[in-house]
Amino acid sequence: MSEAVRTLSPQFIESAEEFAERYPILWPHLTGLRVTSAAYLPLIAQARPIGAIGLLFDDRHGFSVEDRNVLIALGSSIAQSLQRAMLYEQEMDLASGLQQAMLPRTIPSVPGCDVAVRYRAAGIGGMHARTSAATGTTSSRCPAAGWAP
């Protein structure tokens, strides 16, 4: 698998004999799986490797051009999905950090009043104007001033 990531190209192993020849140290650990062929695909997003996937087969020998194309397309789709998930997570972390940074450090003290503040992080779509107002709520009760929630 490391070879696929290092070279940024898929590695197809057509037979058990080829597997044993190319990877003599690894092969003894796989003999119980009855591997007859394998495909190792680099997961590449924006021209950078973000991982790899290995597929071991016990019921086939070799890969046709069509098989190879399907497996390469599968690797591309997986890489794109992983990259989108990572970008989404980064955006959520950034949004949460920004929202936390905007919170006041202390709650103001008002004589004769109880002040309560609740923070609710915005969820999906929280960075849009229509939902950004829902990031926090404040409730106050001040009998001395004659107002309550």
Side-chain angles (χ1 to χ4, degrees):
M1 198 171 317
S2 63
E3 187 176 347
V5 174
R6 192 176 59 253
T7 63
L8 300 180
S9 62
Q11 302 295 312
F12 295 98
I13 300 171
E14 306 277 335
S15 67
E17 294 77 23
E18 181 184 352
F19 207 125
E21 182 181 310
R22 286 177 65 178
Y23 304 102
I25 295 173
L26 179 61
W27 180 246
H29 302 284
L30 298 177
T31 55
L33 298 175
R34 298 188 314 271
V35 174
T36 58
S37 60
Y40 293 107
L41 309 168
L43 302 178
I44 302 168
Q46 295 183 338
R48 289 187 3 238
I50 60 170
I53 185 169
L55 304 170
L56 304 176
F57 298 91
D58 67 355
D59 61 348
R60 66 179 309 138
H61 293 281
F63 298 93
S64 68
V65 172
E66 187 176 286
D67 292 339
R68 290 173 185 240
N69 288 338
V70 167
L71 290 170
I72 290 168
L74 174 67
S76 294
S77 294
I78 292 170
Q80 186 178 39
S81 296
L82 281 173
Q83 183 186 37
R84 285 182 180 168
M86 290 186 301
L87 290 173
Y88 176 81
E89 188 173 329
Q90 288 173 353
E91 284 181 8
M92 290 298 105
D93 288 346
L94 176 62
S96 178
L98 288 172
Q99 291 169 10
Q100 288 284 341
M102 292 172 59
L103 293 174
R105 299 277 180 229
T106 60
I107 299 172
S109 175
V110 179
C113 297
D114 296 324
V115 179
V117 177
R118 181 178 68 173
Y119 170 73
R120 267 190 5 213
I124 296 174
M127 294 179 67
H128 299 290
R130 63 182 169 79
T131 58
S132 63
T135 60
T137 60
T138 302
S139 71
S140 300
R141 184 174 62 83
C142 191
W147 50 274

